[in-house]
Amino acid sequence: MRHRLIKLSNFTQAIHSQSPCFRPENEHQLETISSELATQKPLARGAGLSYSDCCLNQEKPIIDCRRLNHFISFDEATGLLVCQPGITFAELFLIHPDFIPPVIPGTLKATLGGGIANDVHGKNNSRAGTLGHHIEWLLLQIGNRFIPCSRSENQDLFSATIGGLGLTGVIKRLAITLTKASKTVQVSKQRVMTWKQLLLQMHEEHQNHDYQVAWLDLLNGTERSVLSQANHCNSTQPFTMPKSITLPKLPMRLINRLSMTQFNRIYFHSAQQTSPELVSLAQFNNPLDRINHWNRLYGKQGLVQCQTVFTHQDAKKTMHQLFNLINASGATPTLAVLKYFAQKGAGLLSFVEPGFTIAIDFIHNQHAVKAIQMINNKITSIGGKVYLGKDLFLTAQQFKIQYSNHSLFNNILSQYQCSFQSDLSHRLNIGTHP
Ligand SMILES: Cc1cc2nc3c(=O)[nH]c(=O)nc-3n(C[C@H](O)[C@H](O)[C@H](O)COP(=O)(O)OP(=O)(O)OC[C@H]3O[C@@H](n4cnc5c(N)ncnc54)[C@H](O)[C@@H]3O)c2cc1C
């Protein structure tokens, strides 16, 4: 089968990796490619929008699944959609006027295959859990074998594949239950002046809202944030995808501490809202999708992110500890977002646990690397977790402490003879790497 040697990256553009890339156009081609590559430790890839190295496979084959993007069937009575893994979250909005994806990450450009492999979460965890909770069955291609799995058939393989980072096999086809809801939400925003107040409010009010998220200013020396809460509402306003602009490749980084400090100041002051606003769900959930390649603002070195989860009981103390580490490192936290999780993830290696999660973007430099390494140490020591779809710096030892199902996961890989690998699986020593 024809392939091309391609230099790949992830969303951060902070790391690169070269691989022979195969792009099957249909399920038959996927079967042929998978059989041919069975002994070569390949990796499936979606849109490459992960912040971690889970979508890279240095010098080893990549199976790009974006052309496997067909809808197979949709049942209006149950919301059950059968489709291929290259469908994006944006495309799920086009299925039916009354249905939406049950869980959507911060970008609608991610594929369903990628979303399942990271068991992605949205701003609606209290209501909907993670994406994996809505997956009914999967058809996996493992070498020349084709294995169905669900909660009632090959259940162990099913729960290993949800959040399984592409290491169990290539998802060839899947069934997902879409949610019947309007595509418009009513959004209210408020400024909150202390972390204590913010945590209390998010914890107390999470059940009253369909979506909840807070933006935090970590650059102006005061504890200030903007809490956004949204609920579905009926509206005659037609749903339109937000118009987008595209950033060209830039010769230098446009983001720095000074510009982001000013931006945060302006954003915080402009967030004063007198009455709730009606917007499309995509506008509320995915504002950054309107700027194609916004990661180019960070220049050639790119950005890095860390996302962690910790208990709500210790949240205030933990946040102070993390922010002190960032200050001590000299790193520049350009964007910080806080969410509350009520339900744990659906897979063996899922990231999501009940508690608070904070995601922080940094300009990629040695200070940021130091900050994230210190944060990863702290989170490991307090029993929290680091999101494997976002992280580049966790060690194999820290992974074992944080992800207690790691041995069970490895056993399932052996049992089903799954021989896939990624740069992440090497770094964290998942599976076998002779
Ligand atoms: C702006 C932005 C906002 C984000 N917000 C969120 C958020 O709110 N919540 C959240 O959870 N995540 C979020 N993410 C992370 C992103 O949703 C996940 O990393 C997602 O997995 C990316 O999907 P992808 O199609 O790009 O997959 P890739 O990055 O290409 O791959 C991700 C993983 O999926 C595996 N994979 C891909 N296709 C298949 C397949 N067919 N079969 C088996 N395995 C496969 C790959 O091997 C890899 O391990 C965000 C990312 C960005 C860029």
Side-chain angles (χ1 to χ4, degrees):
M1 190 64 68
R2 275 173 40 163
H3 64 271
R4 280 175 58 202
L5 201 59
I6 299 184
K7 190 176 162 197
L8 295 165
S9 188
N10 59 6
F11 181 73
T12 70
Q13 300 292 311
I15 51 165
H16 296 88
S17 178
Q18 185 165 274
S19 289
C21 291
F22 297 78
R23 295 192 76 188
E25 283 181 12
N26 53 49
E27 293 177 355
H28 177 66
Q29 282 189 6
L30 173 64
E31 286 153 27
T32 311
I33 289 169
S34 295
S35 304
E36 284 175 9
L37 299 177
T39 57
Q40 295 180 44
K41 307 236 167 193
L43 178 74
R45 179 171 156 118
L49 292 173
S50 295
Y51 285 70
S52 80
D53 44 0
C54 69
C55 55
L56 299 174
N57 197 15
Q58 178 70 36
E59 303 299 342
K60 297 284 183 193
I62 286 279
I63 303 175
D64 181 336
C65 295
R66 283 176 296 177
R67 285 186 184 169
L68 299 172
N69 60 352
H70 290 88
F71 295 121
I72 315 280
S73 64
F74 180 65
D75 181 345
E76 265 185 61
T78 59
L80 190 77
L81 170 73
V82 177
C83 66
Q84 294 178 333
I87 296 282
T88 63
F89 285 86
E91 287 161 345
L92 290 180
F93 279 93
L94 307 174
I95 301 279
H96 190 284
D98 297 336
F99 285 86
I100 59 165
V103 169
I104 42 178
T107 175
L108 295 178
K109 297 171 186 174
T111 65
L112 263 181
I116 294 168
N118 270 320
D119 193 17
V120 296
H121 58 272
K123 300 173 177 68
N124 62 345
N125 177 274
S126 302
R127 293 266 197 269
T130 57
L131 183 69
H133 289 111
H134 306 271
I135 302 300
E136 306 304 334
W137 51 256
L138 299 166
L139 297 184
L140 275 188
Q141 189 73 40
I142 306 177
N144 60 4
R145 289 167 300 142
F146 159 59
I147 306 188
C149 60
S150 67
R151 286 179 193 84
S152 55
E153 185 179 17
N154 296 318
Q155 188 274 333
D156 49 357
L157 185 62
F158 184 71
S159 56
T161 301
I162 290 173
L165 304 155
L167 300 175
T168 57
V170 185
I171 300 166
K172 180 158 85 174
R173 207 180 261 207
L174 62 109
I176 177 173
T177 304
L178 301 186
T179 301
K180 197 164 195 177
S182 86
K183 290 168 183 167
T184 308
V185 287
Q186 186 171 45
V187 183
S188 59
K189 282 187 186 171
Q190 58 181 294
R191 299 184 204 159
V192 185
M193 286 311 294
T194 64
W195 304 145
K196 185 179 171 191
Q197 175 60 28
L198 179 68
L199 292 165
L200 192 73
Q201 209 168 330
M202 289 180 83
H203 184 242
E204 280 182 354
E205 296 178 10
H206 71 94
Q207 280 170 334
N208 307 341
H209 300 284
D210 294 329
Y211 302 88
Q212 183 176 248
V213 64
W215 167 91
L216 277 58
D217 181 1
L218 300 188
L219 287 170
N220 277 288
T222 48
E223 295 187 7
R224 60 188 190 186
S225 57
V226 176
L227 173 61
S228 302
Q229 294 167 321
N231 292 310
H232 286 285
C233 61
N234 289 325
S235 160
T236 47
Q237 195 176 307
F239 172 75
T240 47
M241 294 303 283
K243 286 207 178 74
S244 59
I245 57 162
T246 300
L247 274 190
K249 278 193 179 153
L250 299 165
M252 82 289 246
R253 172 162 55 79
L254 289 190
I255 281 186
N256 58 41
R257 180 173 277 269
L258 188 67
S259 64
M260 286 315 294
T261 306
Q262 291 303 338
F263 172 87
N264 282 5
R265 216 170 273 169
I266 294 165
Y267 181 79
F268 178 77
H269 288 294
S270 66
Q272 183 67 352
Q273 200 186 38
T274 44
S275 59
E277 197 188 356
L278 283 193
V279 295
S280 75
L281 177 56
Q283 259 171 290
F284 166 72
N285 197 76
N286 307 93
L288 288 171
D289 275 357
R290 285 200 238 175
I291 310 171
N292 292 321
H293 305 298
W294 61 263
N295 47 358
R296 288 178 176 165
L297 288 169
Y298 287 83
K300 281 192 175 156
Q301 298 297 316
L303 71 155
V304 281
Q305 186 185 98
C306 77
Q307 181 168 358
T308 61
V309 63
F310 37 84
T311 61
H312 97 263
Q313 290 86 349
D314 291 329
K316 185 168 151 265
K317 185 172 153 206
T318 306
M319 276 170 56
H320 278 291
Q321 288 171 332
L322 300 190
F323 299 160
N324 285 341
L325 292 175
I326 293 170
N327 287 337
S329 71
T332 306
T334 47
L335 178 66
V337 170
L338 186 74
K339 292 177 201 152
Y340 179 73
F341 291 150
Q343 301 184 47
K344 75 191 259 88
L348 282 182
L349 293 189
S350 290
F351 159 68
V352 172
E353 297 289 340
F356 279 95
T357 182
I358 187 160
I360 308 174
D361 286 1
F362 295 97
I363 292 171
H364 179 211
N365 55 28
Q366 59 185 16
H367 304 291
V369 174
K370 193 171 150 201
I372 296 177
Q373 285 169 338
M374 290 194 294
I375 288 173
N376 287 354
N377 274 335
K378 170 55 70 187
I379 289 296
T380 310
S381 73
I382 61 167
K385 276 161 98 178
V386 168
Y387 189 3
L388 301 178
K390 299 272 183 91
D391 169 81
L392 285 169
F393 305 103
L394 205 68
T395 65
Q397 203 187 355
Q398 290 171 332
F399 163 71
K400 279 190 178 154
I401 296 170
Q402 294 186 9
Y403 285 80
S404 56
N405 287 322
H406 63 90
S407 306
L408 186 54
F409 183 80
N410 278 340
N411 292 344
I412 294 168
L413 294 187
S414 305
Q415 186 191 331
Y416 287 91
Q417 295 164 19
C418 310
S419 65
F420 297 84
Q421 71 167 38
S422 64
D423 292 354
L424 175 143
S425 74
H426 258 285
R427 177 167 56 89
L428 301 182
N429 201 15
I430 309 176
T432 47
H433 294 289

